[in-house]
Amino acid sequence: MEFPSNVKYTKEHEWIRVEGDIAYVGITDYAQEQLGDIVFVDITTEGETLEKDEVFGTIEVVKTISDLFLPVSGEVLEQNEALTDNPELVNQDPYGKGWLIKIKPNDTNDVNDLLDAEGYKALVNE
């Protein structure tokens, strides 16, 4: 299981990676492993400004649908169009090609309140 140190983590198993004033958001390797085969990603919040912990979309696996929570407040700029035809990218490469959305955080310093790799690893190994 991967725990990259270049991202921050939430207790709800999302990750965020800031690049300048834009951030990428996805679900963690642990989350995709627990969910199983992802069959559909539904993100209807593109263009909206949401608060931290608001639902920005859902991810569907064979037997359930799970909400996706925004790690920090900001505007949802773009969803990963590659997931429309290939939702399994989230399973195959959760921190790379399987990213879910790009956002413009209201304040990029908010990511400092999230878990680092060691903190997240401790959370999932409890």
Side-chain angles (χ1 to χ4, degrees), residues 18-87:
V18 176
E19 296 182 3
D21 63 348
I22 303 297
Y24 289 80
V25 176
I27 64 166
T28 66
D29 193 22
Y30 173 84
Q32 70 79 22
E33 192 175 274
Q34 296 299 307
L35 287 168
D37 292 337
I38 294 165
V39 296
F40 188 67
V41 177
D42 186 25
I43 297 167
T44 58
T45 53
E46 194 170 326
E48 294 182 27
T49 299
L50 303 173
E51 294 300 313
K52 177 183 175 171
D53 296 329
E54 274 194 83
V55 173
F56 69 85
T58 58
I59 201 159
E60 187 174 336
V61 293
V62 177
K63 294 185 180 179
T64 190
I65 296 175
S66 295
D67 287 336
L68 298 164
F69 299 95
L70 203 60
V72 297
S73 299
E75 180 185 356
V76 179
L77 298 175
E78 180 183 333
Q79 60 184 316
N80 185 349
E81 295 295 339
L83 302 180
T84 303
D85 295 326
N86 300 299

Side-chain angles (χ1 to χ4, degrees), residues 78-103:
E78 180 183 333
Q79 60 184 316
N80 185 349
E81 295 295 339
L83 302 180
T84 303
D85 295 326
N86 300 299
E88 66 276 4
L89 287 172
V90 178
N91 292 114
Q92 296 163 359
D93 190 11
Y95 301 106
K97 293 179 182 169
W99 61 273
L100 300 174
I101 58 171
K102 274 192 219 179
I103 67 168

Side-chain angles (χ1 to χ4, degrees), residues 103-115:
I103 67 168
K104 181 170 180 40
N106 291 347
D107 184 350
T108 55
N109 290 321
D110 289 347
V111 300
N112 297 328
D113 297 335
L114 301 173
L115 298 168

